[in-house]
Structure formats: C-alpha cells, structure tokens
Amino acid sequence: MSSPKQTQLPNSIELRGVRTHNLKGVDLDLPLHRLVVVTGTSGAGKSSLAFDTICAEGQRRYIETFSPYTRQFLARLDKPDAQSIAGIPPAIALGQLHGRHSARSTVGTITEIHDALGLLYARAGQVICRNCGQLVAPASPADVAEALEASPTGTRYEIAFPADVRAGTDRAALVRSLREQGFTRLSQRAAGDAR
C-alpha cells in the first residue's frame, strides 16, 4: 500500500510577469520566513510591488477562503496584474502614515513598524551577556537553586531584590528589621527606592 503523497510547503513567493502600475513584466522570487526589505528610488515600483501586488494578492486569497455569505459583506479585491503568483501566504500591510514628525522620528517610528519589530525581536532574539558572552535566559527559583548547589564549596554569592520604601518610612527601623532577618546590605538606588 503506497503512503499518501505529502504536500511540500513553498519556501518562496514566486512572482512572474508582474505588470502592476509602473512594473513592466517583473519576475521575482522572495524567500519566505525571512525579513525582506524593498528599497529603491522614488517611482521605482516599491509600493506597487509590496502593497499593490504581494499584499493585495495575499489579502484576496485570504478573503476567498470565507464562505460566499461572508464574502458578500467584504469589499471585492481585484487580482493584481501578473502572469502568475505562487506560494503567497495570508498578508497584512502596514501603510504609510502622514502624522506629526519630530527631529527624532525615523522610518520605523513614523510607520509604526518599530513596535511590530520590537515584538518580533523580543520573541525571536537571544540576549547575550556583554561581560561573559553567555546566553541570558529566564531562570526559575528551581534553576537558581540547582546552579547554587552545583557551585564549588565556599563559593560566595549575593542575592538581591527590590524593596518598595514608601515616603515617611522610618529607615532606621527598616534597616534594623532587615538585619534581624539576616540581610547584610541595603543600597539606595533613587529617592524612595531601596535595594
């Protein structure tokens, strides 16, 4: 008995003969699961490629998955002018915004892509310690206890935590109380905060 044929997922978006607006029969393969940047001079066709071709076709195909009843309430999207478009996933677009800009504005902050990239990098990125080069990863109390137990006998370590010191607190009494509990150091970080 033969095994069922597995469908291979595409690894790129294949554009053939794209003629949207000022594009003249463009053939292009764009890798999936990668950050792709489209740059060029004004009028080169960046928006025609990114928004009016790739994103428009992704949105059109997504809407086609809805039932005919649901589609009647949505705006009809025309197919981009292209010979063929293959391997395109559902798409969203972050459009250009023309709001107030400051001297510190960048393309990322003006288009609000900065926020989306921040979330992406926070989830996909890795933090490396600048001092030792080790990967910084979240640790549970059990992880910390295990690391301490694995340390050589006589290893010194310090455990610190923030303490919320409210206005009007008797600091001398707080220090006495902490010393009685076995704490040995209290360092002030900012007015009203102690550690």
Side-chain angles (χ1 to χ4, degrees), residues 15-28:
L15 305 165
R16 298 294 179 263
V18 179
R19 296 174 298 276
T20 307
H21 304 311
N22 55 344
L23 298 175
K24 309 292 183 200
V26 173
D27 292 341
L28 186 62

Side-chain angles (χ1 to χ4, degrees), residues 24-170:
K24 309 292 183 200
V26 173
D27 292 341
L28 186 62
D29 289 346
L30 299 172
L32 290 172
H33 314 296
R34 298 283 186 271
L35 179 64
V36 177
V37 179
V38 180
T39 64
T41 59
S42 178
K46 302 178 299 293
S47 295
S48 296
L49 177 66
F51 293 111
D52 301 328
T53 304
I54 298 170
C55 191
E57 180 65 6
Q59 289 176 333
R60 189 186 71 78
R61 291 187 185 188
Y62 176 63
I63 288 173
E64 281 184 353
T65 64
F66 296 160
S67 68
Y69 176 77
T70 304
R71 285 200 308 260
Q72 72 179 339
F73 300 107
L74 301 172
R76 185 177 174 277
L77 298 176
D78 293 328
K79 189 171 182 175
D81 188 4
Q83 190 176 4
S84 69
I85 300 175
I88 194 158
I92 60 168
L94 299 171
Q96 298 174 3
L97 301 177
H98 300 287
R100 290 185 300 169
H101 310 309
S102 72
R104 295 183 310 191
S105 295
T106 65
V107 173
T109 58
I110 292 169
T111 61
E112 297 178 5
I113 192 74
H114 179 267
D115 300 326
L117 287 175
L119 290 171
L120 172 68
Y121 292 147
R123 215 166 257 266
Q126 293 182 329
V127 179
I128 306 296
C129 176
R130 288 186 288 187
N131 295 328
C132 66
Q134 297 281 331
L135 177 67
V136 177
S140 68
D143 295 333
V144 173
E146 186 178 318
L148 294 176
E149 287 175 5
S151 299
T153 304
T155 300
R156 293 176 56 90
Y157 55 87
E158 182 177 86
I159 298 175
F161 63 93
D164 184 19
V165 180
R166 298 174 190 213
T169 299
D170 182 351

